[in-house]
Amino acid sequence: MVKASKAEIHPVVADFIDFLNASPTAFHAVDEAKRRLKHAGYEQLFEREDWNLKEGGKYFFTRNYSTIIAFAIGQKYTAGNGFHIVGAHTDSPCLKLKPYSKVSKGGFLEVAVQTYGGGLWHTWFDRDLSVAGRVIVKRNIDGAPSYSHELVRIQEPILRVPTLAIHLDRGSNDGFKVNTQSHLLPVLATAIKAEVNRQGDSNEKCMTTTNGDQKSEKDQKAAEGGDSDIKKHHLLLLELLASKLGCKPEEICDFELQLCDTQPSVVAGVEKEFIFSGRLDNLCMSFCSLKALLDGTASEESLQDETGVRMVALFDHEEVGSNSAQGAGSPVMLDAFSRITSSLSAYDSKVSLEKVIQRSFLVSADMAHCLHPNYMDKHEENHQPKMHNGLVIKSNANQRYATNAVTSFIFREIGKKHKIPVQDFVVRNDMGCGSTIGPILASGVGIRTVDVGAPQLSMHSIREMCGVDDVIYSYEHLKAYFEEFTNLDSQIKVDF
């Protein structure tokens, strides 16, 4: 077990906390990853442009600004050699604003949201919430219109989904059932307070609607087909976003926003052994893989003997099936293989992508289910991952995970060499099994794959929990994988 006193926070853990607090959305996680990559000397590429790559080079590109792929080419790379990859995902279950989010009822201004992924939605009640995401803003540059993609984050709590008092629902403790359409609307403000403040600012006339709600003339005109932006979203929200972006509300053309918890990620527990945070699934594996790549390629000598390509691929939309232009079900990783291989094999027309794939290996890194002390019967008797015991190798005979004997051996052997513990997980036969990007990429690309993840509790809650030691073990194991894979793989014979 990693040794640390209560007063000390391991540098890797402290760095992880900073990463979490900088990444309320997939867009922000990619932005933070991009910042770190640039700081480490990685060169940004663009998919719309030609790539001029070289051995020993370090590069990255983004797609949709919610997926990011970074790679470092070995100095001894020759065309046709393989890639060793860690794949994770940037998204987490959340509540996303609907295209028409403006709701007014019962004297309250509310924001319409849609559920994203399989969240534990009851955990979103009575939390101090805000919004973050990306906005398309119209700017005037040298007198000509320009449309920019800009990230935004409101730090202060502005929203809340209140529960119903037990006096009005005596059976709530017998089973809290959430109607995701009608119960999950967060309150933004009271209509009367918003109107009073607006009149104080603009002296607008107030109108009373048939249901007793207050509306300004501007809002009333919007409801009759006037200003489309104000018709779709509360002006109060647009004004707040505009103040953060340094633009006017009418310059906000569109956005992708989600609710986020304002409580920061922290190291916690009486022994300072836990991390309490949202989005551990799967920013923990995203961070550990990225840091493993960065630290493993930091020195000039780190790629000196490398014959392959080290890669980290952080995908969007895993929580909803990966079927998007930037998800693991898209050709984005295969596109990267093809472009890297072709760029570095300009004088060798015999190099085939099929050969490259068969020489490659993927670690699909996605958080695992830790044994829950209050629900121990939910785990299979001999497969009970625990905190502080290292990464979990996940197996499933029905291919819900892509692990097999060869791929698990490779990953386990690397841990053994570096004295890093490894655990195993198999779901009970009488329970359904989740899945990851592993089977999607294994079947879609044909790449050897092992599914692993750090153990955690409260998966898909707004506030999750994992162990600090497992963050360190994950980072160390993935870093060792990048450094050891090429040599170990050369010793393994399967299809001969």
Side-chain angles (χ1 to χ4, degrees), residues 348-421:
D348 189 351
S349 60
K350 296 181 180 179
V351 174
S352 72
L353 189 59
E354 291 81 5
K355 181 171 72 173
V356 171
I357 291 170
Q358 293 309 310
R359 291 179 172 182
S360 300
F361 192 93
L362 169 69
V363 175
S364 167
D366 201 349
M367 297 296 277
H369 297 293
C370 179
L371 178 67
H372 197 304
N374 301 337
Y375 302 90
M376 292 182 64
D377 60 325
K378 296 298 182 180
H379 274 73
E380 209 272 339
E381 184 178 0
N382 295 316
H383 301 88
Q384 300 183 338
K386 297 179 176 65
M387 287 189 186
H388 312 316
N389 284 356
L391 279 168
V392 180
I393 296 177
K394 299 184 276 188
S395 302
N396 183 262
N398 296 303
Q399 297 303 298
R400 297 293 289 171
Y401 302 127
T403 305
N404 62 32
V406 176
T407 61
S408 65
F409 165 76
I410 290 173
F411 198 76
R412 200 183 308 274
E413 190 68 12
I414 291 170
K416 182 179 179 181
K417 180 176 179 180
H418 290 262
K419 299 181 180 180
I420 300 170

Side-chain angles (χ1 to χ4, degrees), residues 69-70 82-88 289 309-315 333 337 357 360-365 441 445 447-448 450 478 481-482 485:
I69 294 181
F83 292 69
H84 31 292
I85 312 145
V86 181
S289 58
V309 178
R310 302 176 185 179
M311 176 181 283
V312 165
L314 308 181
F315 300 97
M333 193 174 82
F337 281 15
I357 291 170
S360 300
F361 192 93
L362 169 69
V363 175
S364 167
L441 291 168
V445 176
I447 188 172
R448 294 173 294 168
V450 62
L478 295 176
Y481 158 70
F482 281 129
F485 173 77

Side-chain angles (χ1 to χ4, degrees), residues 427-445:
V427 74
R428 289 172 55 105
N429 288 334
D430 54 1
M431 293 177 62
C433 183
S435 193
T436 68
I437 62 171
I440 294 171
L441 291 168
S443 61
V445 176

Side-chain angles (χ1 to χ4, degrees), residues 26-317:
F27 303 117
H28 288 83
V30 166
D31 192 61
E32 177 64 11
K34 173 184 171 180
R35 183 190 69 79
R36 290 168 179 250
L37 286 160
K38 282 193 166 184
H39 182 74
Y42 278 66
E43 177 186 341
Q44 184 170 10
L45 304 171
F46 301 93
E47 289 192 279
R48 295 187 178 190
E49 299 176 2
D50 293 332
W51 292 2
N52 296 308
L53 310 179
K54 62 181 181 180
E55 292 82 359
K58 299 184 289 187
Y59 309 92
F60 75 93
F61 69 92
T62 66
R63 180 178 286 190
N64 189 53
Y65 217 74
S66 59
T67 287
I68 187 165
I69 294 181
F71 57 94
I73 304 167
Q75 291 184 15
K76 292 185 177 180
Y77 174 86
T78 57
N81 287 357
F83 292 69
H84 31 292
I85 312 145
V86 181
H89 64 90
T90 58
D91 61 319
S92 301
C94 64
L95 298 173
K96 297 196 174 191
L97 272 65
K98 290 182 177 178
Y100 193 126
S101 71
K102 186 175 182 179
V103 176
S104 299
K105 58 182 181 180
F108 288 95
L109 305 186
E110 294 185 305
V111 177
V113 294
Q114 53 185 328
T115 56
Y116 175 86
L120 288 172
W121 303 123
H122 67 273
T123 65
W124 286 74
F125 284 77
D126 297 334
R127 301 291 302 186
D128 298 341
L129 304 174
S130 192
V131 295
R134 71 168 169 188
V135 181
I136 307 301
V137 182
K138 181 180 180 180
R139 304 282 190 185
N140 285 313
I141 300 177
D142 298 327
S146 175
Y147 300 91
S148 60
H149 149 113
E150 301 180 25
L151 301 190
V152 68
R153 180 183 188 179
I154 308 299
Q155 296 277 4
E156 58 268 24
I158 60 169
L159 295 158
R160 191 176 180 90
V161 183
T163 49
L164 182 64
I166 193 169
H167 313 81
L168 304 177
D169 184 11
R170 292 292 183 181
S172 60
N173 284 330
D174 298 327
F176 183 34
K177 295 181 180 179
V178 179
N179 183 310
T180 54
Q181 174 63 25
S182 57
H183 296 163
L184 275 178
L185 280 75
V187 172
L188 178 67
T190 57
I192 189 66
K193 181 65 72 171
E195 187 57 43
V196 167
N197 289 339
R198 188 180 303 164
Q199 285 191 58
D201 292 336
S202 62
N203 293 318
E204 286 185 307
K205 292 181 180 179
C206 181
M207 300 181 179
T208 303
T209 63
T210 55
N211 66 356
D213 289 338
Q214 301 289 315
K215 283 190 177 182
S216 69
E217 279 188 332
K218 192 170 185 180
D219 279 355
Q220 188 65 26
K221 288 179 180 178
E224 295 168 358
D227 189 322
S228 61
D229 287 337
I230 297 174
K231 181 181 180 181
K232 292 170 63 177
H233 309 289
H234 287 298
L235 180 59
L236 198 64
L237 178 60
L238 293 174
E239 288 173 338
L240 183 57
L241 293 170
S243 69
K244 294 290 184 182
L245 293 163
C247 68
K248 299 176 182 177
E250 57 267 27
E251 292 173 326
I252 295 176
C253 302
D254 209 342
F255 56 60
E256 289 178 66
L257 298 177
Q258 66 185 61
L259 303 192
C260 48
D261 193 1
T262 57
Q263 187 174 357
S265 305
V266 294
V267 176
V270 68
E271 296 288 345
K272 299 299 180 186
E273 62 181 306
F274 303 125
I275 293 173
F276 297 163
S277 173
R279 309 173 309 285
L280 292 177
D281 175 21
N282 192 37
L283 290 186
C284 181
M285 295 294 92
S286 294
F287 166 82
C288 291
S289 58
L290 180 66
K291 186 170 179 62
L293 178 67
L294 292 175
D295 290 357
T297 57
S299 69
E300 292 184 5
E301 300 79 24
S302 58
L303 295 171
Q304 195 169 34
D305 297 320
E306 179 60 72
T307 60
V309 178
R310 302 176 185 179
M311 176 181 283
V312 165
L314 308 181
F315 300 97
D316 194 7
H317 294 148

Side-chain angles (χ1 to χ4, degrees), residues 311-357:
M311 176 181 283
V312 165
L314 308 181
F315 300 97
D316 194 7
H317 294 148
E318 188 276 342
E319 295 293 356
V320 291
S322 297
N323 293 318
S324 69
Q326 52 275 3
S330 77
V332 61
M333 193 174 82
L334 199 57
D335 289 348
F337 281 15
S338 179
R339 295 193 69 169
I340 295 167
T341 301
S342 61
S343 177
L344 293 166
S345 60
Y347 305 106
D348 189 351
S349 60
K350 296 181 180 179
V351 174
S352 72
L353 189 59
E354 291 81 5
K355 181 171 72 173
V356 171
I357 291 170

